[in-house]
Amino acid sequence: MAPGMSLYSVNAILILSSEDGSRIFSKWYNPPHQAAGQSSSTAAPASAQNPFADKTAQVRFEKALLQKTAKQTGDILLFDNRVVLYKMEADVAIYVVGGVEENEILLYNVLLALRDALHLLFKQSVDKRTIIENYDLVSLAIDEIVDDGVVLETDPTIIVQRCSKAPSQDTNLGRIDPFTEQGMNNLAQIGKSKILEWMR
C-alpha cells in the first residue's frame, strides 16, 4: 500500500431527529493508528483526523449540520471541510460523514445500504419511534456496514441477513424445502421437538 493510503473512509454515521435535532444514533470513528516510522505530519490527512473528539463539539457539528440540510434538497454537501451525504426519512435524517478527499460514490453507497437495510429490517417506514424501539438492530446493521471507519458491506440484503432476529418457534412448514440438506435438518428438528412435546 502506498504511503498515506488507508481503508479508513467514514468519519461518522449519524441519525438525528429532523424535528428538534436531537441525537437518535451517533457513531464517530477515529482514524487508525499511524504506521511505525511515520511522523505525525504524514500519518493522515487533516480531514481524516477527527476534530470532534469531545461530545460537545460533536453535538455542535450535528446541530449545525441539521440546520444546513433542513433547507437543502440534494443528497450531498461540503460542510465544515467534510463531505456529507444524507437522506431524510419521515422524522429522521440519516448522515454519512467522510473526509473531503473521500470518494463520494462509496459514501453514497454506504448511505443507501443503511437506508435500504433499515427499510428491509422494519418492513415499514423508518421513523424515530421505530429506530428507538429497534436500536439493537440499527446498531448491528451499522456495525455490519462500517467497522472503525472502514466500509465492510454495502448490500442491504446481506446486512439484513446478518442482523435479523432468530426465527420464532412456530415455523411455517410450507416454507421449508424438504429436498435440500438444510430443509431435511429443519424438518428433523421440528419433528424431534414435536415428539418431545407429545411425550411430556
Side-chain angles (χ1 to χ4, degrees):
M1 187 172 353
M5 291 189 71
S6 172
L7 294 175
Y8 174 80
S9 56
V10 177
N11 294 152
I13 294 181
L14 312 168
I15 302 176
L16 306 176
S17 170
S18 59
E19 297 168 346
D20 58 0
S22 62
R23 209 183 237 199
I24 299 171
F25 182 92
S26 174
K27 191 151 191 177
W28 290 81
Y29 303 102
N30 290 319
H33 61 281
Q34 61 190 30
Q38 246 184 344
S39 68
S40 60
S41 61
T42 62
S47 61
Q49 296 171 359
N50 189 357
F52 309 112
D54 61 335
K55 185 178 176 184
T56 49
Q58 292 173 359
V59 170
R60 194 176 321 114
F61 174 82
E62 293 165 8
K63 295 269 186 193
L65 181 62
L66 184 67
Q67 288 176 351
K68 179 78 172 180
T69 57
K71 303 170 191 137
Q72 303 287 328
T73 57
D75 294 346
I76 183 171
L77 83 136
L78 187 61
F79 182 76
D80 198 20
N81 205 28
R82 303 265 171 224
V83 175
V84 179
L85 290 106
Y86 62 96
K87 289 279 184 192
M88 299 295 182
E89 292 287 328
D91 58 350
V92 296
I94 304 171
Y95 297 95
V96 175
V97 181
V100 73
E101 73 286 339
E102 289 305 327
N103 184 341
E104 296 88 2
I105 296 172
L106 174 68
L107 296 175
Y108 192 67
N109 283 336
V110 169
L111 177 67
L112 292 179
L114 176 58
R115 184 200 63 184
D116 295 345
L118 293 178
H119 278 285
L120 289 171
L121 278 171
F122 302 147
K123 296 180 178 63
Q124 56 192 6
S125 69
V126 177
D127 59 1
K128 184 177 179 178
R129 181 177 179 192
T130 308
I131 290 172
I132 291 171
E133 288 174 355
N134 298 288
Y135 196 82
D136 55 341
L137 289 176
V138 173
S139 183
L140 277 172
I142 290 173
D143 286 344
E144 288 295 330
I145 297 169
V146 176
D147 183 36
D148 285 336
V150 177
V151 178
L152 299 177
E153 184 63 63
T154 58
D155 185 350
T157 55
I158 293 174
I159 295 162
V160 169
Q161 287 174 355
R162 290 181 182 165
C163 58
S164 294
K165 293 181 182 176
S168 65
Q169 293 294 345
D170 298 329
T171 307
N172 182 3
L173 295 177
R175 292 179 35 205
I176 295 177
D177 182 12
F179 299 111
T180 64
E181 184 177 341
Q182 183 64 39
M184 292 299 285
N185 289 338
N186 289 344
L187 286 174
Q189 283 297 107
I190 292 169
K192 183 179 175 182
S193 66
K194 295 291 183 189
I195 289 172
L196 288 175
E197 284 178 23
W198 178 75
M199 290 176 66
R200 286 186 199 144

